[in-house]
Amino acid sequence: MKIGITCYPTYGGSGVIATELGKELALRGHKVHFISYALPFRLSRYIENIVFHEVETSKYPLFEFPLYSLALASKMVEVVEFENLDLLHVHYALPHATSAYLAKQMLRDKRDLKIITTLHGTDITLVGLEPSFLPLVKFSIDQSNGVTAVSRFLKEKTITNYSCTKPIEVIPNFIDSELYKPNEQTSFRDHIAPNGEKILVHTSNFRTVKRVPDTIRILKKVREDIPAKLVLVGDGPDRSECERLCRQLDLCDDVKFLGKQEGLVEILNSADLFLIPSQSESFGLAALEAMSCGLPVISTSVGGLPELVKHNETGFVAEIGDIDRMSKYAVDLLTNEKKFKLFSHNARQRAINQFDKSKVVPIYEKYYKTILGK
Ligand code: GMT
């Protein structure tokens, strides 16, 4: 198949999934064309069967706001025609599904371009609900030929919030379990926890929905029982608040802010437990990456997280903001070696058996064929 993929190219789970999907499809012999305003960050080297098409927006002074959605639609038309694409798969509804709809209409006299929209999270649960976007998101979803959501939760939310009538296929996030795998990393661990302290880790874009300050409060509680450190990977709007909280709680030596990092596998492998105390999370790719490295996960019970984290099996699930409970769960696991090993094993097995790329990518392929009527 000849597939066009549009996604956000910088940090973010939807861009990661879109790019990894494109890479896998290319490996399977499909021709993949990425269409976006920048090269997706996981496409840093040449890969056979993959071409990147950059969308340029005009800086004309009359346009106070860049007309990206329109430039994207034009570029989609150009690539579909020139490369003879079978379908466009857009990730994150706004504005990608809308641009794809426009491209489809522009081409309608020449071909029946099929569009698949994958809903990832805040496009449905947050931004899409804003009155200025809601009708557009609903329209763009309804006009797509196929719609997928990354969890059952997100599918239900879409139906409830947008009264969508379109059938929605649930296709979860996936992982390369051969890349994200357990691998003892002593040097980083020794550096972070020189006295053998346990290490909690959290990775995110530090947006408010992630509730990163909760990870620091959990550490504070955990340290009342056992020596522990917290590693925070990523950056974003709430980082300064987190740094302030560390000073306030006298934890500056115990919380390491690593900022954005490429070598995530190494960092995850140096840690014991992954924390994801989000207020909203449609799937939780970061938690899956940790599970694949054999880390038990402590999460909130929101969104799609309970579909990923099996309570009392691969980790623990608690209510939003329940710091006491999440700390108790952490101490329970970190002080019981037998239980910890079992949870670690279960987490890894769940990642491999349910969410490995070899299991999920063929579901997308099959879905493409259904939409194309093949
Ligand atoms: O919605 C966002 O926060 C951004 C979005 C993204 O594009 O990075 O993340 C979402 O998509 C990921 C990949 O499907 C999911 O694993 C994340 O759970 C989801 N984030 C939220 O729902 C907050």
Side-chain angles (χ1 to χ4, degrees):
M1 279 180 269
K2 291 178 182 165
I3 303 151
I5 294 184
T6 288
C7 63
Y8 283 104
T10 48
Y11 278 78
S14 62
V16 171
I17 289 296
T19 312
E20 295 301 335
L21 175 62
K23 283 158 73 176
E24 278 309 304
L25 291 168
L27 266 179
R28 288 160 182 263
H30 301 289
K31 305 279 180 222
V32 179
H33 295 265
F34 282 92
I35 308 169
S36 190
Y37 59 83
L39 186 71
F41 74 99
R42 292 218 180 169
L43 268 192
S44 45
R45 61 181 178 85
Y46 169 76
I47 300 173
E48 205 183 329
N49 289 336
I50 293 189
V51 178
F52 170 63
H53 305 265
E54 185 169 331
V55 180
E56 284 176 53
T57 41
S58 168
K59 303 273 186 308
Y60 191 62
L62 192 63
F63 304 151
E64 198 175 334
F65 306 101
L67 303 181
Y68 177 65
S69 317
L70 302 182
L72 175 61
S74 287
K75 182 58 90 177
M76 283 170 164
V77 168
E78 182 190 312
V79 178
V80 168
E81 284 207 289
F82 189 69
E83 303 289 352
N84 201 18
L85 300 189
D86 295 306
L87 62 88
L88 278 181
H89 185 179
V90 300
H91 293 257
Y92 206 89
L94 272 172
H96 302 149
T98 316
S99 301
Y101 166 76
L102 204 51
K104 183 181 169 76
Q105 290 309 310
M106 288 157 79
L107 287 164
R108 74 173 169 216
D109 293 337
K110 296 182 189 162
R111 62 170 73 219
D112 178 18
L113 174 66
K114 302 292 186 198
I115 295 165
I116 293 175
T117 298
T118 289
L119 310 171
H120 280 274
T122 48
D123 46 353
I124 292 303
T125 57
L126 204 69
V127 197
L129 287 176
E130 287 176 19
S132 51
F133 291 129
L134 195 142
L136 190 68
V137 171
K138 175 177 164 43
F139 176 81
S140 305
I141 290 172
D142 282 339
Q143 296 301 319
S144 299
N145 297 95
V147 182
T148 81
V150 297
S151 61
R152 291 194 298 278
F153 156 81
L154 195 61
K155 172 180 172 167
E156 294 309 323
K157 267 276 167 249
T158 309
I159 295 169
T160 320
N161 290 349
Y162 300 86
S163 315
C164 283
T165 47
K166 207 96 250 134
I168 300 176
E169 178 96 354
V170 175
I171 307 183
N173 285 180
F174 60 89
I175 189 84
D176 181 347
S177 61
E178 271 308 299
L179 181 65
Y180 285 85
K181 64 179 177 194
N183 168 14
E184 193 84 6
Q185 290 290 336
T186 45
S187 61
F188 184 76
R189 178 180 269 280
D190 291 348
H191 176 69
I192 298 288
N195 302 312
E197 296 93 338
K198 297 293 182 188
I199 302 180
L200 313 178
V201 64
H202 168 83
T203 68
S204 77
N205 47 21
F206 283 61
R207 283 181 303 154
T208 306
V209 285
K210 303 291 177 184
R211 292 185 66 106
V212 189
D214 282 4
T215 65
I216 297 165
R217 295 196 176 94
I218 292 170
L219 178 78
K220 180 79 180 168
K221 279 254 159 211
V222 167
R223 282 176 57 84
E224 289 172 9
D225 292 311
I226 53 171
K229 302 276 183 182
L230 171 66
V231 173
L232 293 175
V233 185
D235 212 331
D238 283 359
R239 176 160 169 188
S240 308
E241 185 197 332
C242 289
E243 286 174 339
R244 260 197 308 277
L245 184 63
C246 285
R247 287 195 288 276
Q248 204 181 311
L249 298 179
D250 195 19
L251 285 173
C252 291
D253 291 338
D254 304 305
V255 181
K256 296 280 174 231
F257 290 86
L258 299 186
K260 288 179 183 172
Q261 291 285 333
E262 299 248 306
L264 200 55
V265 179
E266 191 186 341
I267 296 166
L268 289 172
N269 268 300
S270 312
D272 298 294
L273 207 57
F274 189 84
L275 302 176
I276 179 161
S278 305
Q279 167 187 325
S280 167
E281 200 69 64
S282 65
F283 182 87
L285 180 61
L288 175 59
E289 289 171 343
M291 284 167 66
S292 191
C293 290
L295 265 67
V297 170
I298 295 180
S299 82
T300 46
S301 57
V302 303
L305 283 171
E307 294 171 47
L308 173 66
V309 182
K310 287 285 148 213
H311 183 70
N312 210 13
E313 200 179 298
T314 65
F316 289 109
V317 174
E319 292 304 306
I320 302 175
D322 195 343
I323 309 291
D324 283 351
R325 190 164 287 271
M326 287 189 265
S327 326
K328 274 195 193 111
Y329 285 146
V331 172
D332 178 28
L333 270 180
L334 296 174
T335 53
N336 183 338
E337 203 182 328
K338 204 168 150 208
K339 193 169 184 176
F340 178 84
K341 279 199 170 133
L342 177 66
F343 276 47
S344 164
H345 172 81
N346 291 346
R348 167 82 180 148
Q349 287 311 307
R350 184 160 171 74
I352 295 174
N353 296 335
Q354 304 292 320
F355 303 108
D356 185 69
K357 61 181 187 175
S358 63
K359 301 259 173 356
V360 179
V361 174
I363 305 178
Y364 274 115
E365 259 180 319
K366 196 166 159 227
Y367 189 65
Y368 290 172
K369 285 185 186 150
T370 308
I371 295 302
L372 289 171
K374 285 191 174 176

